[in-house]
Coordinates of all heavy atoms in Angstrom, one line a residue:
T50 N -3.9 5.0 8.0 CA -4.3 4.3 6.8 C -5.8 4.5 6.5 O -6.6 4.4 7.3 CB -4.1 2.8 7.0 OG1 -2.7 2.5 7.3 CG2 -4.4 2.0 5.7
T51 N -6.0 4.8 5.2 CA -7.4 4.9 4.7 C -7.6 4.0 3.5 O -6.8 4.0 2.6 CB -7.7 6.4 4.2 OG1 -7.5 7.3 5.3 CG2 -9.1 6.5 3.8
T52 N -8.6 3.1 3.6 CA -8.9 2.3 2.4 C -9.7 3.1 1.5 O -10.9 3.5 1.8 CB -9.6 1.0 2.9 OG1 -8.8 0.3 3.8 CG2 -9.9 0.1 1.7
L53 N -9.2 3.4 0.3 CA -9.9 4.1 -0.7 C -10.8 3.3 -1.6 O -11.8 3.7 -2.1 CB -8.9 4.9 -1.6 CG -8.0 5.9 -0.9 CD1 -6.9 6.4 -1.9 CD2 -8.8 7.0 -0.2
Y54 N -10.4 2.0 -1.8 CA -11.1 1.1 -2.7 C -10.8 -0.3 -2.3 O -9.7 -0.7 -2.0 CB -10.7 1.4 -4.2 CG -11.4 0.5 -5.1 CD1 -12.7 0.7 -5.5 CD2 -10.7 -0.6 -5.7 CE1 -13.4 -0.1 -6.4 CE2 -11.4 -1.4 -6.6 CZ -12.7 -1.2 -6.9 OH -13.3 -2.0 -7.8
G55 N -11.9 -1.1 -2.4 CA -11.7 -2.6 -2.1 C -11.4 -2.9 -0.7 O -11.7 -2.1 0.2
D56 N -10.8 -4.0 -0.5 CA -10.5 -4.5 0.9 C -9.2 -5.3 0.7 O -9.2 -6.4 0.1 CB -11.6 -5.4 1.4 CG -11.3 -5.9 2.8 OD1 -10.1 -5.8 3.3 OD2 -12.2 -6.4 3.5
P57 N -8.0 -4.8 1.3 CA -6.8 -5.5 1.1 C -6.7 -6.9 1.8 O -5.8 -7.6 1.5 CB -5.7 -4.5 1.7 CG -6.5 -3.6 2.5 CD -7.9 -3.5 2.0
A58 N -7.7 -7.2 2.6 CA -7.7 -8.5 3.3 C -8.3 -9.6 2.4 O -8.2 -10.8 2.8 CB -8.4 -8.4 4.6
V59 N -9.0 -9.2 1.3 CA -9.7 -10.3 0.6 C -9.2 -10.2 -0.9 O -8.6 -9.3 -1.3 CB -11.2 -10.1 0.6 CG1 -11.7 -10.1 2.1 CG2 -11.7 -8.7 0.0
T60 N -9.6 -11.2 -1.6 CA -9.3 -11.3 -3.1 C -9.9 -10.2 -3.8 O -11.1 -10.0 -3.7 CB -9.7 -12.7 -3.6 OG1 -9.1 -13.7 -2.9 CG2 -9.3 -12.8 -5.1
G61 N -9.1 -9.5 -4.6 CA -9.6 -8.4 -5.4 C -8.7 -7.2 -5.3 O -7.8 -7.1 -4.5
P62 N -9.0 -6.2 -6.2 CA -8.2 -5.0 -6.2 C -8.5 -4.1 -5.0 O -9.6 -4.1 -4.5 CB -8.6 -4.3 -7.5 CG -10.0 -4.8 -7.8 CD -10.0 -6.2 -7.3
Y63 N -7.5 -3.4 -4.6 CA -7.6 -2.4 -3.5 C -6.7 -1.3 -3.7 O -5.7 -1.4 -4.4 CB -7.3 -3.1 -2.2 CG -5.9 -3.5 -2.0 CD1 -4.9 -2.6 -1.5 CD2 -5.4 -4.8 -2.4 CE1 -3.6 -3.0 -1.4 CE2 -4.1 -5.1 -2.3 CZ -3.2 -4.3 -1.8 OH -1.9 -4.6 -1.6
T64 N -7.0 -0.2 -3.1 CA -6.1 1.0 -3.0 C -6.2 1.5 -1.6 O -7.3 1.7 -1.0 CB -6.5 2.1 -4.0 OG1 -6.4 1.6 -5.3 CG2 -5.5 3.3 -3.9
I65 N -5.0 1.7 -1.0 CA -4.9 2.3 0.4 C -4.1 3.6 0.3 O -3.2 3.8 -0.5 CB -4.3 1.4 1.4 CG1 -2.9 0.9 1.0 CG2 -5.3 0.2 1.7 CD1 -2.2 0.0 2.0
A66 N -4.5 4.5 1.2 CA -3.7 5.8 1.3 C -3.0 5.7 2.7 O -3.6 5.4 3.7 CB -4.6 7.0 1.3
L67 N -1.7 5.9 2.6 CA -0.9 6.0 3.9 C -0.5 7.4 4.1 O 0.0 8.1 3.2 CB 0.4 5.2 3.7 CG 0.3 3.7 3.5 CD1 1.7 3.0 3.4 CD2 -0.6 3.0 4.5
R68 N -0.7 7.9 5.4 CA -0.2 9.2 5.8 C 0.9 8.9 6.8 O 0.6 8.4 7.9 CB -1.4 10.0 6.4 CG -2.3 10.5 5.4 CD -3.6 11.0 5.9 NE -4.5 11.5 4.9 CZ -5.1 10.8 4.0 NH1 -4.9 9.5 4.0 NH2 -5.8 11.4 3.0
V69 N 2.1 9.2 6.4 CA 3.3 8.9 7.2 C 3.9 10.1 7.8 O 4.2 11.1 7.1 CB 4.3 8.2 6.3 CG1 5.5 7.7 7.2 CG2 3.7 7.0 5.5
P70 N 4.0 10.2 9.2 CA 4.5 11.4 9.8 C 6.0 11.6 9.5 O 6.7 10.6 9.0 CB 4.4 11.1 11.3 CG 3.5 9.9 11.4 CD 3.5 9.1 10.1
A71 N 6.5 12.8 9.7 CA 7.9 13.1 9.6 C 8.7 12.2 10.5 O 8.2 11.7 11.5 CB 8.2 14.5 9.9
N72 N 9.9 11.9 10.1 CA 10.9 11.1 10.9 C 10.4 9.7 11.2 O 10.5 9.3 12.4 CB 11.3 11.9 12.1 CG 11.9 13.2 11.7 OD1 12.8 13.3 10.9 ND2 11.4 14.3 12.3
T73 N 9.8 9.0 10.3 CA 9.3 7.7 10.5 C 10.1 6.7 9.6 O 10.5 7.0 8.5 CB 7.8 7.6 10.0 OG1 7.0 8.4 10.8 CG2 7.3 6.1 10.1
R74 N 10.5 5.5 10.2 CA 11.2 4.5 9.5 C 10.4 3.2 9.5 O 9.9 2.8 10.5 CB 12.6 4.3 10.2 CG 13.5 5.5 10.2 CD 14.8 5.2 10.9 NE 15.7 6.4 10.7 CZ 16.4 6.6 9.7 NH1 16.5 5.7 8.7 NH2 17.2 7.7 9.6
I75 N 10.5 2.6 8.3 CA 9.8 1.3 8.2 C 10.9 0.3 7.8 O 11.6 0.4 6.8 CB 8.7 1.3 7.1 CG1 7.7 2.4 7.5 CG2 8.1 0.0 6.9 CD1 6.6 2.7 6.4
A76 N 11.0 -0.7 8.6 CA 12.1 -1.8 8.4 C 11.8 -2.6 7.2 O 10.7 -2.6 6.7 CB 12.1 -2.7 9.7
A77 N 12.8 -3.3 6.7 CA 12.7 -4.2 5.5 C 11.6 -5.2 5.7 O 11.5 -5.9 6.8 CB 14.0 -4.8 5.2
H78 N 10.8 -5.3 4.7 CA 9.6 -6.3 4.7 C 9.2 -6.5 3.3 O 9.7 -6.0 2.4 CB 8.5 -5.7 5.5 CG 7.9 -4.4 4.9 ND1 8.5 -3.2 5.0 CD2 6.8 -4.2 4.1 CE1 7.8 -2.3 4.4 NE2 6.8 -2.9 3.8
F79 N 8.3 -7.4 3.1 CA 7.7 -7.7 1.8 C 6.2 -8.1 1.9 O 5.7 -8.3 3.0 CB 8.5 -8.8 1.1 CG 8.4 -10.2 1.8 CD1 7.4 -11.1 1.4 CD2 9.4 -10.5 2.7 CE1 7.4 -12.3 2.1 CE2 9.4 -11.8 3.3 CZ 8.4 -12.7 3.0
H80 N 5.6 -8.1 0.8 CA 4.1 -8.4 0.7 C 4.0 -9.6 -0.3 O 4.8 -9.7 -1.2 CB 3.3 -7.2 0.2 CG 3.7 -6.0 1.0 ND1 3.1 -5.7 2.2 CD2 4.5 -4.9 0.7 CE1 3.6 -4.6 2.7 NE2 4.4 -4.1 1.8
R81 N 2.9 -10.4 -0.1 CA 2.7 -11.5 -1.1 C 2.2 -11.1 -2.4 O 2.3 -11.8 -3.4 CB 1.8 -12.5 -0.4 CG 0.4 -12.0 -0.3 CD -0.6 -13.2 0.1 NE -1.1 -12.9 1.5 CZ -2.0 -13.6 2.1 NH1 -2.4 -14.7 1.5 NH2 -2.4 -13.3 3.3

Side-chain angles (χ1 to χ4, degrees):
T50 305
T51 302
T52 300
L53 300 174
Y54 179 76
D56 182 347
V59 302
T60 300
Y63 67 88
T64 300
I65 56 176
L67 299 182
R68 285 165 179 72
V69 185
N72 304 307
T73 299
R74 294 180 177 276
I75 300 172
H78 63 281
F79 63 91
H80 310 280
R81 70 172 114 174

